[in-house]
Amino acid sequence: MKLMLKGATNNLLSAIKELQSDLNFELAEDGIPILIKQADKGLSVSLKNGQGEIVYDKKAAFFRGLGLLLENYARSKTFHIEEDAQFETIGPMFDLSRNAVMKPERFEDMLRKLALMGFNSAMLYMEDVYEIESQPYFGYMRGRYSLDQLNQLDDYAHQFGIELIPCIQTLAHLEEFLKWSDASGLKDTRGVLLVESEATYTFVRDMIESVTKPFRSKRIHIGMDEAEELGRGVYLNKFGHKDRLELMTSHLNRVLEIVDENGLMPMMWSDMFMKLASKTGDAHYDLMTEIPDEIIEATPKNVTLMYWDYAHTKKEEYLAMMKKHKAFGRKPAFAGGIWVWNTFATNYGLSLGASDAALQACKQEGIQDVFVTLWGDDGYENNYFSAMLGLQLYAEHAYARTLDRSKLHDRVKFCTGIDAETYLLLNELDAIPGVDSNNKEQTNPSKFLLWQDVLLGLFDKHVEGLDLYSHYKALANKIRVSRDGNNALDYIFDVPEKLAELLSVKATIGVQLKAAYDRGDNKELKHIADQVLPEIIDKAEVLRLAHRKQWLHMHKPFGWEVIDIRYGGLKSRLETAIYRINEYVSGEIDFIDELEQKRLYYHDIENSTGLGWSSYYYRMASPNVFFHVLPI
């Protein structure tokens, strides 16, 4: 397809050329004439009598408009589309701190897709994956970005009108740096900085000045969430007990002084203030919480509070919490989430419902800064690109008062080349028989059924009597037939396909093994040892190789060793299971101790719509000691 752009400034042309390959168009004098105009407000895209027009306000809106024009040209030669931005800021937050540090070239791939969707910002969540010249152990062997890499990403995003915003931690969630002896003087507890120490504030200054240097944006997210251990480690031993609100606000004020000196506009997570206001001191979402005047008065006014909430599915619940945040005398920012974390599967059942309710509430309450988080807890076995349908939902909400689901599906197909139904197949990795289709309990069988030990069967009680072979076998086939090898993102479905194929055999093998052992069926035990477990080993290796290929294409190599070790442990334990079963069947041992144990529930699921969950690999693999974590 050929386009002749009239009125395209050099400011737009470089980025337009970046999109040519993805969208299969070229710029030519004999192309379809497209008139480009900039206006004060809104986005208008039209085509009539063989001529097109894009009228836009902000640069990011232009690229959405270009996508809308090309998308609709394929369906109709006459159309007129008008849209109005509902938010001042709209963008994803990429968790780059849980081992999966996106390669710069993959980040550029993502930015082009974000541009077509119409996003105008993105936050980079970096606990320790950026350079600090004075701290050689900061991000050491963790795939940290260099200053040049961040600068180049900022340049690339800027040409599309996308503002990159650094999101760091200036209090808690610094375990991966504070583990080094070189950082011992900065540590209160395992992940929390020692407040009221001048060395800490020298370090915080280095963090803030280092991370903001590559970015044009004057905005910075300073973190400060989930700091429940504040003042309970080295600080307590040295200085004794001090009120947590006083500790929190005095530290925050010191950090804000540094931020202000650098001419920055700060944001922070709000949960610690909400928790301190609750009766229990730890309830983030307690709708009954009233914010005491002392907390409102103690909270600095020169920081934007960011309300994060990923799990509620009713608009009224979000409205209630937003109004509580407004008690602080300012509009909060909001961060929702697409559930890509703690699982191989993207939980679209919960994500889409929760996001839709949250975004409706944001519009009703006039929230203007909206983000969507893509966390990567416990090693990021999933990936950012599996969230594209969820990101598209945020983008469509951002340009319309009311969400048009048909348009959402059309747009995600155009922007990513993959239809909504294919993305939704990912949901079925966890939404298995026994799980509510919306998966509000965040049950994650795609993870715990993979990593759980076949002899110990910690989750076997949860899947007794379920036909998971048929579910996963059918799912593997559905993913296989839906794939398109010509699509640049097709590779993200290779791991889900191979995982479903593996789980069709492994998901309930522990139940079968225990049942055969209990009834003394040595023939079945021998079949499992000689046929089924070797098949699982083979399928696990196929999955590992697919996962390795995906990781090394998408991410820096640092962190893959964690997942590689998990696959190695899975294989070793399956080989040990074969050895143990053969010992028993041959009469070398009188019993298999692990199979003598009664199976118990990992979680009480009697009143649940799910099958239980676990956030950590090491808890799925074994109930025994992996490591002993001291509080400091």
Side-chain angles (χ1 to χ4, degrees):
M1 183 179 182
K2 295 181 180 181
L3 301 178
M4 180 180 66
L5 304 180
K6 298 180 179 181
T9 63
N10 291 333
N11 195 29
L12 295 177
L13 279 173
S14 64
I16 292 170
K17 291 175 181 178
E18 287 290 321
L19 293 170
Q20 286 182 246
S21 177
D22 290 356
L23 299 180
N24 194 28
F25 72 88
E26 60 179 298
L27 302 180
E29 289 299 318
D30 59 345
I32 301 165
I34 309 294
L35 180 61
I36 298 171
K37 299 179 183 178
Q38 190 164 14
D40 293 333
K41 186 179 180 182
L43 173 64
S44 172
V45 181
S46 59
L47 184 71
K48 186 177 181 180
N49 298 327
Q51 295 191 12
E53 183 179 72
I54 301 173
V55 182
Y56 69 98
D57 51 4
K58 296 181 179 179
K59 189 193 283 190
F62 167 78
F63 293 101
R64 178 176 171 87
L66 178 62
L68 285 168
L69 188 143
L70 294 172
E71 175 192 349
N72 284 276
Y73 182 82
R75 293 195 293 261
S76 173
K77 299 304 179 278
T78 302
F79 54 83
H80 181 79
I81 302 166
E82 290 190 359
E83 296 183 336
D84 285 308
Q86 303 296 303
F87 309 115
E88 188 69 26
T89 307
I90 183 74
M93 187 220 75
F94 299 103
D95 181 355
L96 304 161
S97 300
R98 271 42 180 256
N99 298 350
V101 179
M102 212 180 333
K103 286 183 174 179
E105 56 266 37
R106 293 293 82 73
F107 216 133
E108 291 178 357
D109 293 346
M110 175 64 78
L111 288 167
R112 292 195 300 276
K113 296 190 185 309
L114 297 181
L116 290 176
M117 292 179 178
F119 287 106
N120 62 13
S121 70
M123 280 202 298
L124 283 67
Y125 179 75
M126 300 182 291
E127 291 173 357
D128 67 329
V129 290
Y130 55 96
E131 288 181 326
I132 299 178
E133 188 175 348
S134 63
Q135 298 289 343
Y137 282 93
F138 194 79
Y140 174 62
M141 290 292 181
R142 294 257 294 134
R144 63 190 171 203
Y145 287 118
S146 68
L147 186 150
D148 284 344
Q149 286 177 324
L150 291 176
N151 186 249
Q152 289 167 20
L153 283 175
D154 191 63
D155 286 345
Y156 197 83
H158 178 69
Q159 66 183 335
F160 295 106
I162 296 174
E163 176 191 12
L164 293 190
I165 303 169
C167 179
I168 65 172
Q169 290 290 355
T170 57
L171 181 57
H173 285 301
L174 287 167
E175 291 88 350
E176 299 312 316
F177 172 58
L178 295 178
K179 70 189 176 197
W180 300 109
S181 60
D182 195 58
S184 59
L186 300 169
K187 182 166 63 174
D188 179 5
T189 67
R190 189 168 58 97
V192 177
L193 290 173
L194 181 62
V195 300
E196 299 183 1
S197 163
E198 288 308 310
T200 292
Y201 298 106
T202 299
F203 170 61
V204 169
R205 182 181 296 278
D206 286 347
M207 280 200 293
I208 290 171
E209 293 180 353
S210 297
V211 81
T212 55
K213 188 175 181 180
F215 297 102
R216 288 173 174 81
S217 177
K218 289 299 181 182
R219 292 198 278 184
I220 183 174
H221 198 303
I222 57 174
M224 295 205 179
D225 59 311
E226 299 179 325
E228 287 83 2
E229 295 180 352
L230 173 62
R232 296 179 174 180
V234 171
Y235 183 94
L236 183 64
N237 295 338
K238 280 189 172 183
F239 308 115
H241 177 266
K242 195 170 186 177
D243 179 74
R244 276 199 301 165
L245 176 61
E246 185 179 350
L247 280 178
M248 182 83 188
T249 54
S250 63
H251 176 72
L252 175 55
N253 279 312
R254 288 293 303 272
V255 173
L256 291 177
E257 286 177 13
I258 298 168
V259 167
D260 186 59
E261 288 168 14
N262 284 274
L264 303 169
M265 298 178 289
M267 296 176 275
M268 67 174 289
W269 307 112
S270 69
D271 58 291
M272 283 302 294
F273 291 117
M274 304 306 291
K275 290 171 182 175
L276 290 169
S278 71
K279 291 182 179 180
T280 61
D282 61 2
H284 178 200
Y285 296 128
D286 187 352
L287 296 177
M288 302 304 293
T289 295
E290 296 296 332
I291 314 298
D293 289 342
E294 65 173 325
I295 290 182
I296 293 172
E297 292 168 3
T299 305
K301 302 297 184 283
N302 56 334
V303 60
T304 297
L305 299 180
M306 182 172 284
Y307 160 42
W308 57 269
D309 192 339
Y310 323 131
H312 287 104
T313 55
K314 295 179 181 178
K315 181 177 73 170
E316 293 72 23
E317 294 170 327
Y318 290 100
L319 289 172
M321 290 303 297
M322 287 172 185
K323 288 173 181 174
K324 291 183 186 300
H325 280 75
K326 285 185 174 182
F328 288 92
R330 74 210 89 158
K331 282 184 183 178
F334 176 76
I338 304 300
W339 285 81
V340 293
W341 61 94
N342 276 329
T343 179
F344 280 77
T346 300
N347 184 345
Y348 274 121
L350 175 59
S351 297
L352 297 182
S355 297
D356 186 48
L359 291 167
Q360 289 180 47
C362 285
K363 292 174 188 178
Q364 185 170 324
E365 284 297 305
I367 306 300
Q368 287 299 300
D369 298 311
V370 175
F371 296 89
V372 49
T373 60
L374 307 176
W375 294 108
D377 300 27
D378 197 41
Y380 225 152
E381 291 142 327
N382 201 345
N383 67 83
Y384 315 97
F385 287 92
S386 71
M388 298 307 284
L389 175 59
L391 295 183
Q392 193 79 58
L393 179 137
Y394 273 76
E396 298 315 302
H397 260 293
Y399 286 88
R401 191 65 189 169
T402 304
L403 179 69
D404 182 337
R405 293 194 175 272
S406 176
K407 185 177 179 180
L408 164 64
H409 287 199
D410 289 342
R411 294 239 68 223
V412 77
K413 174 66 174 177
F414 174 79
C415 292
T416 72
I418 297 168
D419 57 45
E421 290 73 19
T422 301
Y423 283 111
L424 291 172
L425 289 176
L426 300 174
N427 199 57
E428 296 184 33
L429 282 165
D430 282 339
I432 65 176
V435 177
D436 178 80
S437 61
N438 290 326
N439 197 1
K440 293 180 182 179
E441 305 285 342
Q442 303 120 49
T443 195
N444 57 344
S446 66
K447 180 165 177 163
F448 65 65
L449 292 177
L450 172 64
W451 298 133
Q452 76 158 349
D453 189 272
V454 67
L455 287 175
L456 301 175
L458 295 180
F459 284 87
D460 279 352
K461 192 71 177 173
H462 295 240
V463 296
E464 284 181 354
L466 299 179
D467 181 9
L468 300 188
Y469 169 81
S470 297
H471 174 83
Y472 280 120
K473 196 71 175 176
L475 177 57
N477 187 61
K478 285 190 284 187
I479 295 173
R480 189 177 303 114
V481 301
S482 72
R483 293 181 62 180
D484 176 6
N486 294 318
N487 186 280
L489 280 183
D490 179 70
Y491 72 92
I492 69 171
F493 293 93
D494 201 28
V495 170
E497 178 191 330
K498 302 297 192 296
L499 176 58
E501 189 65 47
L502 169 59
L503 291 178
S504 70
V505 185
K506 185 180 186 295
T508 58
I509 188 59
V511 176
Q512 299 168 47
L513 178 59
K514 179 77 163 79
Y517 180 80
D518 286 347
R519 67 175 181 266
D521 189 343
N522 282 10
K523 182 179 179 181
E524 177 62 14
L525 290 175
K526 188 66 175 169
H527 170 72
I528 290 172
D530 291 351
Q531 302 295 324
V532 182
L533 297 186
E535 181 185 2
I536 292 173
I537 291 173
D538 290 344
K539 289 182 183 295
E541 179 63 5
V542 170
L543 173 61
R544 185 185 74 87
L545 295 177
H547 201 168
R548 183 177 69 185
K549 183 177 181 180
Q550 174 185 285
W551 182 287
L552 296 177
H553 175 72
M554 189 180 294
H555 307 130
K556 294 187 179 187
F558 304 95
W560 169 249
E561 74 280 1
V562 172
I563 310 299
D564 224 1
I565 289 166
R566 292 177 186 180
Y567 282 114
L570 174 62
K571 179 182 178 183
S572 292
R573 288 299 298 163
L574 287 165
E575 290 175 346
T576 294
I578 293 170
Y579 174 77
R580 298 276 287 146
I581 294 167
N582 282 329
E583 272 193 312
Y584 174 72
V585 171
S586 67
E588 294 178 53
I589 58 175
D590 296 329
F591 57 88
I592 302 175
D593 211 353
E594 302 94 317
L595 297 180
E596 290 284 326
Q597 304 295 309
K598 180 182 178 181
R599 290 331 190 214
L600 303 175
Y601 285 105
Y602 190 94
H603 285 299
D604 178 12
I605 61 170
E606 184 177 354
N607 299 310
S608 171
T609 60
L611 292 173
W613 59 275
S614 178
S615 297
Y616 301 108
Y617 157 78
Y618 74 95
R619 291 299 186 203
M620 301 171 189
S622 172
N624 291 299
V625 175
F626 262 63
F627 50 81
H628 180 56
V629 179
L630 294 172
I632 58 174

